[in-house]
């Protein structure tokens, strides 16, 4: 991959952290609480352990042809035609995921904050900001993430500390009241939503300045994001209780409404919304950047900047078409983990197996001629 952009390991860690947090900081707590009730925290913990194994699997794929993006790896491993089919499959999944997150932002903003604003206006505003980031390139975008990361950490810690007086530890008991099966169902959702979607980073791993640090940087970023998500799950259960969390679409937003210090510092839901908006913005830009670069490489173009405008409009159009309304969006959460695990687990596994088979064929000694 020939590109003048380069990112450091610290910037890579921050981008992985933001990608892991993404929309999960606002939505994820309700999923394990719905499945496992009081044991939702256990679903979160087991899901994170399983998710980190998926991250390691992605690191293994990243070390295969480390100078090539995922689109280029497909061609080298599967050949021209089959590799193109796999690339189209990956780019299609990236387009759908990015579009769904654009729609999620639109739904949240128009139902909780700017209720009189048309949803299309919110989505186009987000995409306009994303176009600018994609055009500037991954290096400028990664450096920007360093600035926002410090603010995000400070805000999240303040959010956590201010809710400590409202902890009710009885909300975590009884332990395994309904057995282990509900915990396992909740575990798969926690694994799929944040961790399987990290596969998009295989489009930018060639830009890492020190590729020997890929595994440590990838895992560190995923662990930082996991700690944040696990803390949000615990906060939701301890403060709101499993019954209320399972009924809330955005439980973390409801948590922010509970903050009050005396009569002068309270109702901090706008800050929570801003935290979520920042993390999901980085997630959307990464999807759009990966998609633009993938199309450029698939069509053998010289640059991706000329693609940003039509592709960003395509993202908004897909967001409107595949998600007709908010109710449909919330229904997709029941089967979306299977889609994410196909892209983030099964697909990388096929890549590794394909690389191993090609390597075995290449190293096979030629048969003796008679």
């Amino acid at each position: 991959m020939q590109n003048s952009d380069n990112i450091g390991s610290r910037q890579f860690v921050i981008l992985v952290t933001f990608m892991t947090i993404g929309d999960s900081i606002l939505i994820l707590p309700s999923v394990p609480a719905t499945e496992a009730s009081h044991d939702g925290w256990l679903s979160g913990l087991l899901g994170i352990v399983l998710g980190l194994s998926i991250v390691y699997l992605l690191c293994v794929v990243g070390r295969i042809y480390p100078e090539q993006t995922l689109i280029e790896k497909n061609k080298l491993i599967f050949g021209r035609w089959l590799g193109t089919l796999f690339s189209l499959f990956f780019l299609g999944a990236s387009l759908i995921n990015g579009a769904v997150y654009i729609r999620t932002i639109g739904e949240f903003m128009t139902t909780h904050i700017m209720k009189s604003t048309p949803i299309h206006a919110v989505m186009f505003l987000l995409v306009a900001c994303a176009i600018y980031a994609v055009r500037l390139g991954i290096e400028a975008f990664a450096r920007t993430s360093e600035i926002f990361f410090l603010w995000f950490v400070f805000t999240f810690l303040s959010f956590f500390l201010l809710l400590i007086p409202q902890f009710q530890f009885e909300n975590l008991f009884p332990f395994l009241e309904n057995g282990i099966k509900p915990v396992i169902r909740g575990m798969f959702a926690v694994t799929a939503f944040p961790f399987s979607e990290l596969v998009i980073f295989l489009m930018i791993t060639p830009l890492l300045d020190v590729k020997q640090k890929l595994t440590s940087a990838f895992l560190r970023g995923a662990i930082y994001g996991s700690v944040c998500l696990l803390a949000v799950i615990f906060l939701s259960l301890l403060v709101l209780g499993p019954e209320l969390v399972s009924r809330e679409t955005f439980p973390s937003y409801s948590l922010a409404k509970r903050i009050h210090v005396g009569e002068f510092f309270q109702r901090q839901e706008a800050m929570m919304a801003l935290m979520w908006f920042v993390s999901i913005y980085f997630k959307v830009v990464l999807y759009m950047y990966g998609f633009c670069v993938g199309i450029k490489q698939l069509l053998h173009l010289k640059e991706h900047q000329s693609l940003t405008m039509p592709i960003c409009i395509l993202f908004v159009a897909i967001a409107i078409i595949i998600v007709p309304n908010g109710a449909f969006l919330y229904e997709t959460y029941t089967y979306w983990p299977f889609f994410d695990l196909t892209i983030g687990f099964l697909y990388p596994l096929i890549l590794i197996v394909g690389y191993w088979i090609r390597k075995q064929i290449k190293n096979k000694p030629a048969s003796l001629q008679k």
Side-chain angles (χ1 to χ4, degrees):
M1 179 182 181
Q2 295 180 354
N3 196 311
S4 58
D5 286 343
N6 279 291
I7 58 175
S9 58
R10 182 178 62 182
Q11 296 165 345
F12 189 85
V13 169
I14 292 173
L15 288 177
V16 173
T17 303
F18 274 130
M19 185 74 176
T20 305
I21 295 171
D23 65 321
S24 301
I25 191 175
L26 206 62
I27 299 172
L28 186 63
S30 64
V31 181
T34 301
E35 296 290 348
S37 188
H38 302 277
D39 300 312
W41 64 271
L42 184 58
S43 292
L45 184 60
L46 295 177
I48 286 171
V49 172
L50 190 60
L52 291 177
S53 65
I54 291 180
V55 175
Y56 184 77
L57 181 70
L58 298 178
C59 293
V60 174
V61 177
R63 292 198 296 268
I64 297 173
Y65 305 122
E67 299 294 335
Q68 312 298 327
T69 67
L70 187 57
I71 302 300
E72 295 167 325
K73 294 180 201 289
N74 285 331
K75 185 176 180 181
L76 292 172
I77 293 174
F78 299 113
R80 179 181 178 184
W81 298 109
L82 186 58
T84 299
L85 288 177
F86 273 102
S87 296
L88 290 173
F89 167 72
F90 170 74
L91 292 175
S94 301
L95 175 62
I96 292 173
N97 269 331
V100 166
Y101 290 126
I102 292 172
R103 181 72 188 212
T104 303
I105 285 183
E107 287 291 335
F108 173 77
M109 296 295 288
T110 54
T111 55
H112 288 82
I113 298 179
M114 298 185 294
K115 298 182 180 181
S116 300
T117 305
I119 188 172
H120 297 168
V122 176
M123 291 193 293
F124 273 110
L125 180 62
L126 171 67
V127 167
C129 298
I131 288 175
Y132 188 67
V134 174
R135 278 182 174 273
L136 289 177
I138 193 66
E139 185 174 358
F141 174 63
R143 291 183 178 182
T144 304
S145 69
E146 292 184 276
I147 300 172
F148 281 99
F149 186 69
L150 293 175
W151 170 84
F152 184 91
V153 171
F154 174 77
T155 307
F156 182 81
L157 288 176
S158 302
F159 180 71
F160 183 88
L161 293 173
L162 290 171
L163 284 171
I164 288 178
Q166 302 185 46
F167 283 3
Q168 300 178 36
F169 290 95
E170 58 270 18
N171 289 336
L172 303 181
F173 300 99
F175 181 65
L176 292 178
E177 179 183 18
N178 300 312
I180 195 67
K181 289 184 179 179
V183 174
I184 294 175
R185 290 198 300 268
M187 175 189 71
F188 281 112
V190 175
T191 301
F193 284 129
F195 298 102
S196 299
E197 296 169 355
L198 295 176
V199 67
I200 193 67
F201 276 96
L202 295 178
M203 292 299 297
I204 66 172
T205 50
L207 302 177
L208 191 62
D209 55 359
V210 183
K211 295 178 178 58
Q212 292 80 1
K213 295 183 179 180
L214 171 63
T215 302
S216 63
F218 219 146
L219 287 173
R220 274 194 296 146
I223 290 171
Y224 295 159
S226 301
V227 171
C228 179
L229 294 180
L230 191 59
V232 170
I233 292 174
F234 268 108
L235 279 174
S236 301
L237 292 173
L238 288 170
V239 176
L240 300 177
E243 291 78 13
L244 184 56
V245 174
S246 62
R247 293 196 300 267
E248 290 279 353
T249 305
F250 304 108
S252 300
Y253 188 72
S254 299
L255 273 178
K257 295 179 180 180
R258 301 292 186 96
I259 295 177
H260 57 84
V261 179
E263 297 296 330
F264 63 94
F265 190 80
Q266 54 188 337
R267 303 276 302 189
Q268 296 300 304
E269 57 268 28
M271 292 300 295
M272 182 66 199
L274 188 58
M275 285 173 56
W276 176 72
F277 193 87
V278 167
S279 62
I280 201 172
Y281 168 75
F282 283 98
K283 197 167 189 174
V284 168
V285 173
L286 284 168
Y287 270 119
M288 294 176 68
Y289 178 83
F291 187 83
C292 287
V293 172
I295 292 295
K296 182 201 77 171
Q297 294 177 341
L298 204 60
L299 301 179
H300 303 287
L301 303 177
K302 291 183 179 180
E303 60 173 22
H304 72 275
Q305 280 79 3
S306 58
L307 298 171
T308 53
M309 185 64 72
I311 284 178
C312 290
I313 294 175
L314 176 64
F315 268 83
V316 176
I318 295 297
I320 296 171
I321 293 170
I322 67 173
V323 186
N325 51 61
F328 179 85
L329 178 64
Y330 306 143
E331 285 295 324
T332 60
Y333 293 147
T334 57
Y335 57 82
W336 203 264
F338 300 101
F339 175 74
D340 275 347
L341 288 172
T342 301
I343 304 301
F345 175 70
L346 184 60
Y347 173 47
L349 199 60
I350 292 173
L351 276 169
I352 294 173
V353 172
Y355 173 74
W356 181 82
I357 293 174
R358 175 170 285 275
K359 192 174 181 180
Q360 294 300 314
I361 294 174
K362 185 177 180 180
N363 294 336
K364 186 177 181 180
S367 58
L368 296 175
Q369 297 182 353
K370 294 183 179 179

